[in-house]
Amino acid sequence: MDVVKQHLLDHGVKPSFQRLAIMKYLMENRTHPTADIIFQDLYEQIPTLSKTTVYNTLKLLTEQGAVLTIGIDEKNARYDGNTEPHAHFRCRDCGCIHDIPVNTANEIFVEGIGELKIDEVHIYYKGYCKNCASDKN
Amino acid sequence: MDVVKQHLLDHGVKPSFQRLAIMKYLMENRTHPTADIIFQDLYEQIPTLSKTTVYNTLKLLTEQGAVLTIGIDEKNARYDGNTEPHAHFRCRDCGCIHDIPVNTANEIFVEGIGELKIDEVHIYYKGYCKNCASDKN
DNA sequence: AACAGAATTGTACTCATTACAGATTTAAAA
DNA sequence: TTTTAAATCTGTAATGAGTACAATTCTGTT
């Protein structure tokens, strides 16, 4: 069966036309897009798509764990179809976002957390990417 | 000399009346407040204070490394007068934010970052605080 | 086919943050 | 001390991501 459809079903999300399109987009585009970029791109193929649906769907997918919402960009939320544990880097100059292979799952076991019930960890790196760092000589 | 004034000078910030008030507030209130909360509280003592000044000052202080801007809350930016390396926790229920004693400075040395020049790391934990976890029984 | 509930759509709205231009303060020169 | 320019601060208006909501469409079931 379709990988995208199966992914939604695995996370208890009924695979509607729009949900499939958005999930497929995130699985094929590992660019950590904003909701608006997803909307713009999909709107070309699906002219009946509403921006509200994109927001609603991304919220649902995040709640069900089918998608990761990333808060590394102060301006907009970014979305990631890769839910395997990993960290993120963002360039201060060009704003590009890269995956960083850190097993964030290990980070959940922390000293000195008292009685906090931690269930999620986000690690955000900031700095300059290869291109932007070389621009600065 | 005044600790607050010295802190600003150490970070190359000219210690104006407003800047001192905002920096002092952040050093005395380790509650990770929003810009609006800072404004509300200081406005009682300084009725001439402008919200724009609070935003401008927090931006300046962050750029100069005198203050940390925290992105753990999707709604608003939070500010922290403690610039020593540490991580943050936010409760999904009540929204409270706690410091977590993790030496984020160590996290800067990561495998597989390619040629990225990393200069800052943020670690955000999410879950339920002691009070909110017990409410759920 | 008819109905009920779920999903989608479009518009109006909220509200954190920023832009901007005018007023005020600072600090140093004359 | 007065002058002057730069820095800082202020208030209002604008921006723009995200949400509320009510109307519409779709889905699956009797």
Side-chain angles (χ1 to χ4, degrees):
Chain A
M1 201 214 287
D2 182 12
V3 195
V4 181
K5 190 172 186 179
Q6 190 60 54
H7 184 74
L8 291 186
L9 293 174
D10 287 347
H11 290 87
V13 176
K14 201 190 285 184
S16 75
F17 179 69
Q18 289 85 344
R19 290 170 181 172
L20 282 167
I22 292 168
M23 191 67 241
K24 179 160 183 271
Y25 183 91
L26 283 173
M27 291 177 93
E28 291 178 350
N29 298 79
R30 296 299 175 88
T31 50
H32 312 91
T34 64
D36 195 61
I37 291 172
I38 298 171
F39 171 74
Q40 302 284 349
D41 284 355
L42 289 180
Y43 186 73
E44 292 176 14
Q45 311 154 34
I46 312 169
T48 58
L49 186 64
S50 162
K51 196 176 279 190
T52 299
T53 299
V54 175
Y55 277 107
N56 289 343
T57 302
L58 290 170
K59 189 177 189 179
L60 173 70
L61 293 178
T62 299
E63 283 164 1
Q64 300 299 320
V67 151
L68 240 50
T69 300
I70 302 169
I72 201 173
D73 175 357
E74 312 75 48
K75 301 286 181 186
N76 335 301
R78 303 304 194 109
Y79 298 91
D80 194 340
N82 174 17
T83 52
E84 295 299 307
H86 66 288
H88 293 99
F89 165 88
R90 180 163 190 268
C91 177
R92 294 184 191 291
D93 235 45
C94 68
C96 70
I97 297 178
H98 290 287
D99 285 344
I100 305 284
V102 172
N103 187 347
T104 54
N106 289 338
E107 305 284 334
I108 289 194
F109 309 104
V110 188
E111 300 286 326
I113 59 167
E115 300 191 45
L116 305 175
K117 306 288 180 223
I118 292 172
D119 55 41
E120 200 178 337
V121 187
H122 289 257
I123 302 186
Y124 300 140
Y125 296 93
K126 301 191 181 184
Y128 297 94
C129 71
K130 188 178 174 182
N131 290 337
C132 294
S134 66
D135 287 351
K136 298 193 182 308
N137 295 336
Chain B
M1 202 215 287
D2 181 14
V3 195
V4 180
K5 190 172 184 178
Q6 190 60 53
H7 185 74
L8 292 186
L9 292 174
D10 287 348
H11 290 87
V13 176
K14 201 190 284 184
S16 74
F17 178 71
Q18 289 85 344
R19 290 170 182 172
L20 282 166
I22 292 167
M23 191 67 241
K24 181 162 183 271
Y25 183 91
L26 282 174
M27 290 176 94
E28 291 178 349
N29 299 79
R30 295 299 177 86
T31 51
H32 313 91
T34 63
D36 195 61
I37 290 173
I38 298 171
F39 171 75
Q40 302 283 351
D41 285 355
L42 289 180
Y43 186 73
E44 292 175 14
Q45 313 153 32
I46 311 169
T48 58
L49 186 64
S50 163
K51 194 175 279 189
T52 300
T53 299
V54 175
Y55 276 106
N56 289 342
T57 301
L58 289 170
K59 188 177 188 179
L60 173 70
L61 293 177
T62 299
E63 283 165 0
Q64 299 299 317
V67 151
L68 240 50
T69 300
I70 302 168
I72 201 172
D73 175 358
E74 311 76 47
K75 301 285 181 187
N76 335 301
R78 303 304 193 108
Y79 298 92
D80 193 341
N82 175 16
T83 52
E84 295 300 307
H86 65 289
H88 293 98
F89 165 88
R90 180 162 191 269
C91 176
R92 293 184 192 289
D93 235 46
C94 68
C96 70
I97 297 179
H98 291 287
D99 285 344
I100 305 285
V102 173
N103 187 347
T104 53
N106 289 338
E107 305 284 335
I108 289 194
F109 309 104
V110 188
E111 301 285 327
I113 59 168
E115 301 190 45
L116 306 175
K117 305 289 180 220
I118 291 172
D119 56 41
E120 201 179 336
V121 186
H122 290 256
I123 303 186
Y124 300 141
Y125 296 93
K126 302 192 179 185
Y128 296 94
C129 71
K130 187 179 174 180
N131 290 338
C132 293
S134 66
D135 286 351
K136 297 193 182 307
N137 290 340

